[in-house]
Amino acid sequence: MNRLAPSILSADFSKLGEEVAEIEKAGAHVIHVDVMDGHFVPNISYGATVMKSLIGKTKMPFDVHLMIENPEKYIEDFVTENTEIITVHAEACVHLHRTIQLIHSFGVKAGVALNPATLPDVLDYVLEEIDLALVMSVNPGFGGQKFIPSALHKVKALQNQKELRNQELIIEIDGGITLDNIKMVTDAGAELVVAGSSVFGVEDRLCRVQQFLNIMK
Ligand code: DX5
Ligand code: ZN
């Protein structure tokens, strides 16, 4: 089943709980949590405290996207009763295999994200170890950027690998997703779709989530 993961990066943090409740009511499946450290990416967002403020306020699982250096130091902070997935960047991990094992040791799904210029081949020797591959369709760091079309080829390449190996693997796409391109990305094989500014950045979030869900089902 395809799932929509609105990113709270574009939410109004003075009413985060309300906005999250609204998109949950509209049928969104997952909350995407963008963590930025100002080193791996040129922007600082928020940490585990903000994410944890949503525990008990939503039943939606958390999909944690760590855009940080040395992610292994902070993984435990993001393990909560709502946490379904923790994703680290391949470019930020010297010992990627070990970090994947660390995430699994907390009983959480492990994901690996790839920047737009990173080859999908970096996953060849860990593909069987991971639960999710996140294809970045913008350069990580900011919401509201334009979709980079080459990400579609990467989604397709990963989808082929998944079929060849007959493996369970969630393919996620993140960045620049709109009502105009969501069909293309789900057709290419992405089943977890992140949308930030195109959900939290609009007036009628409830209606927008329903529009996305109608196209992607
Ligand atoms: C970008 C983040 C994205 C971002 C998506 O660095 O990883 O999750 O919030 O925002 P939009 O959908 O506005 O591109
Ligand atoms: Zn993200």
Side-chain angles (χ1 to χ4, degrees), residues 7-73:
S7 165
I8 54 171
L9 186 66
S10 297
D12 178 343
F13 285 87
S14 69
K15 35 184 184 169
L16 183 60
E18 266 168 59
E19 293 198 356
V20 166
E22 203 180 344
I23 61 142
E24 182 167 24
K25 195 169 152 214
H29 305 100
V30 172
I31 281 292
H32 186 78
V33 178
D34 281 311
V35 181
M36 304 176 181
D37 66 353
H39 292 276
F40 178 67
V41 291
N43 191 16
I44 298 175
S45 58
Y46 49 78
T49 316
V50 168
M51 182 189 89
K52 286 176 176 164
S53 74
L54 293 170
I55 294 174
K57 304 257 168 24
T58 178
K59 290 198 169 59
M60 284 185 285
F62 298 153
D63 167 34
V64 180
H65 179 192
L66 296 179
M67 287 161 276
I68 62 176
E69 285 178 2
N70 305 313
E72 62 287 346
K73 286 190 190 169

Side-chain angles (χ1 to χ4, degrees), residues 7 9-10 32 34 36 65 67 136 138-145 174-177 194-198:
S7 165
L9 186 66
S10 297
H32 186 78
D34 281 311
M36 304 176 181
H65 179 192
M67 287 161 276
M136 287 307 301
V138 296
N139 286 296
F142 303 93
Q145 302 179 80
D174 183 5
I177 300 297
V194 179
S197 51
S198 58

Side-chain angles (χ1 to χ4, degrees), residues 12-181:
D12 178 343
F13 285 87
S14 69
K15 35 184 184 169
L16 183 60
E18 266 168 59
E19 293 198 356
V20 166
E22 203 180 344
I23 61 142
E24 182 167 24
K25 195 169 152 214
H29 305 100
V30 172
I31 281 292
H32 186 78
V33 178
D34 281 311
V35 181
M36 304 176 181
D37 66 353
H39 292 276
F40 178 67
V41 291
N43 191 16
I44 298 175
S45 58
Y46 49 78
T49 316
V50 168
M51 182 189 89
K52 286 176 176 164
S53 74
L54 293 170
I55 294 174
K57 304 257 168 24
T58 178
K59 290 198 169 59
M60 284 185 285
F62 298 153
D63 167 34
V64 180
H65 179 192
L66 296 179
M67 287 161 276
I68 62 176
E69 285 178 2
N70 305 313
E72 62 287 346
K73 286 190 190 169
Y74 303 97
I75 280 161
E76 193 168 3
D77 291 350
F78 290 90
V79 177
T80 70
E81 59 196 77
N82 284 56
T83 308
E84 176 184 337
I85 306 155
I86 297 180
T87 295
V88 293
H89 267 262
E91 305 85 0
C93 293
V94 178
H95 299 289
L96 181 59
H97 189 279
R98 181 183 285 152
T99 304
I100 291 163
Q101 286 178 317
L102 178 67
I103 298 172
H104 279 152
S105 74
F106 294 110
V108 172
K109 287 182 185 152
V112 178
L114 305 176
N115 281 339
T118 303
L119 289 173
D121 311 29
V122 302
L123 296 181
D124 274 2
Y125 287 89
V126 289
L127 207 60
E128 268 114 39
E129 312 288 332
I130 62 177
D131 305 285
L132 176 143
L134 195 176
V135 175
M136 287 307 301
S137 40
V138 296
N139 286 296
F142 303 93
Q145 302 179 80
K146 200 166 174 292
F147 182 80
I148 298 172
S150 61
L152 276 178
H153 300 294
K154 207 181 288 181
V155 168
K156 283 182 192 151
L158 287 165
Q159 176 65 25
N160 286 342
Q161 278 299 318
K162 177 180 161 174
E163 280 167 21
L164 271 176
R165 300 184 195 211
N166 194 18
Q167 197 199 324
E168 293 267 324
L169 176 75
I170 303 167
I171 302 176
E172 179 173 23
I173 192 152
D174 183 5
I177 300 297
T178 63
L179 290 175
D180 294 329
N181 59 23

Side-chain angles (χ1 to χ4, degrees), residues 15 19 22-23 197-208:
K15 35 184 184 169
E19 293 198 356
E22 203 180 344
I23 61 142
S197 51
S198 58
V199 168
F200 281 106
V202 303
E203 275 297 303
D204 196 348
R205 285 173 293 273
L206 203 134
C207 169
R208 179 53 63 88

